[in-house]
């Protein structure tokens, strides 16, 4: 995301080194969802359109983002509206709902690249599965970069980067890495995958 400068080496995009101006312009193309996202003590509408002045929020985009992360029905069922206040740090929401609000926030801003940094690690298996389904539905529409220790989250990825001790060992599909690297196959076995 260009928030930290590399200690060594260079970052390339399409075989062209990028500079600070390129990084600044690229940040508008990136959506980021962390393991513990910020949820403000304000409405669902304001949380999803975070950073946009209240009078400029596009409610159609908020509703679409809620539908994309499978939260719109929750809002409808509970007779809540977009102005429903989620409480301090989203205390009126479950962990999975908070995570989906964070993903909806990223989708509201329509990034070309969505980075999920351990976004499902603190969730139960059922909620993780729902969020993984949401991310898989983005295939062909967004570039998704998912960082995860829990391999079940990454099973349907087009390409994995297998790392060990901060070094890239190889890239490939789940099956390719499993067949080529005993260490990866062992991790899968230990993970019951």
């Amino acid at each position: 995301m260009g928030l930290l400068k590399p200690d060594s080496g260079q970052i390339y995009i399409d075989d062209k080194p990028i500079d600070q101006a390129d990084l600044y312009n690229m940040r508008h193309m990136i959506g980021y969802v962390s393991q513990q996202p910020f949820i403000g003590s304000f409405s669902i509408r304001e949380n999803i359109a975070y950073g946009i002045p209240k009078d400029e929020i596009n409610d159609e985009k908020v509703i679409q983002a809620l539908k994309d992360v499978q939260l719109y029905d929750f809002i409808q069922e509970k007779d809540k509206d977009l102005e429903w206040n989620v409480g301090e740090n989203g205390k009126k929401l479950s962990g999975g709902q908070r995570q989906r609000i964070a993903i909806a926030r990223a989708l509201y801003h329509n990034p070309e690249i969505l980075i999920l940094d351990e976004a499902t690690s603190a969730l139960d298996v059922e909620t993780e599965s729902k969020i993984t389904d949401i991310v898989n539905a983005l295939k062909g529409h967004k570039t998704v970069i998912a960082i995860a220790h829990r391999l079940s989250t990454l099973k349907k990825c087009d390409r994995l980067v297998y790392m060990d001790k901060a070094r890239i060992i190889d890239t490939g599909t789940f099956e390719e890495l499993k067949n080529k690297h005993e260490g990866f196959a062992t991790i899968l076995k230990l993970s019951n995958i």
Side-chain angles (χ1 to χ4, degrees):
M1 292 186 335
L3 298 175
L4 301 172
K5 290 183 182 180
D7 292 334
S8 62
Q10 180 71 43
I11 299 172
Y12 289 81
I13 295 181
D14 297 329
D15 297 322
K16 177 186 170 255
I18 59 174
D19 59 22
Q20 280 305 114
D22 294 326
L23 282 172
Y24 178 77
N25 291 330
M26 284 181 50
R27 286 189 188 123
H28 300 286
M29 299 169 41
I30 298 172
Y32 176 73
V33 180
S34 70
Q35 184 176 358
Q36 296 180 329
F38 167 76
I39 304 293
S41 180
F42 29 83
S43 71
I44 283 189
R45 179 178 186 264
E46 292 168 284
N47 269 290
I48 290 175
Y50 187 74
I52 305 293
K54 268 181 114 169
D55 59 338
E56 295 177 26
I57 294 174
N58 181 326
D59 285 345
E60 288 177 19
K61 284 176 63 176
V62 170
I63 290 169
Q64 185 57 54
L66 284 166
K67 288 179 180 178
D68 289 345
V69 299
Q70 301 173 9
L71 272 181
Y72 187 69
D73 290 343
F74 166 76
I75 301 299
Q76 297 299 298
E77 287 169 12
K78 303 292 183 183
D79 291 325
K80 296 173 177 42
D81 61 17
L82 298 181
E83 294 302 326
W84 179 59
N85 188 301
V86 298
E88 185 177 339
N89 200 26
K91 70 179 179 183
K92 296 179 185 176
L93 301 168
S94 70
Q97 290 167 335
R98 285 192 295 272
Q99 213 55 21
R100 286 186 269 176
I101 291 287
I103 295 170
R105 178 184 301 144
L107 296 176
Y108 175 89
H109 294 285
N110 196 25
E112 292 180 42
I113 301 167
L114 180 61
I115 299 175
L116 304 174
D117 186 359
E118 292 283 0
T120 62
S121 65
L123 303 177
D124 61 82
V125 175
E126 182 181 346
T127 305
E128 177 196 18
S129 177
K130 287 179 184 176
I131 290 176
T132 300
D133 290 344
I134 292 164
V135 172
N136 288 331
L138 298 173
K139 271 188 176 185
H141 305 284
K142 307 266 179 225
T143 298
V144 179
I145 300 171
I147 299 126
H149 285 87
R150 202 182 296 175
L151 294 176
S152 58
T153 307
L154 306 175
K155 194 164 186 181
K156 293 184 182 177
C157 290
D158 295 328
R159 188 170 118 181
L160 292 137
V161 179
Y162 174 44
M163 299 180 73
D164 188 26
K165 297 181 179 132
R167 294 241 179 248
I168 295 175
I169 304 298
D170 200 356
T171 63
T173 65
F174 226 74
E175 285 302 312
E176 290 170 345
L177 294 175
K178 177 180 160 185
N179 294 330
K180 283 174 66 177
H181 298 282
E182 188 177 323
F184 189 77
T186 300
I187 292 168
L188 291 179
K189 193 174 187 178
L190 292 171
S191 301
N192 293 321
I193 297 177

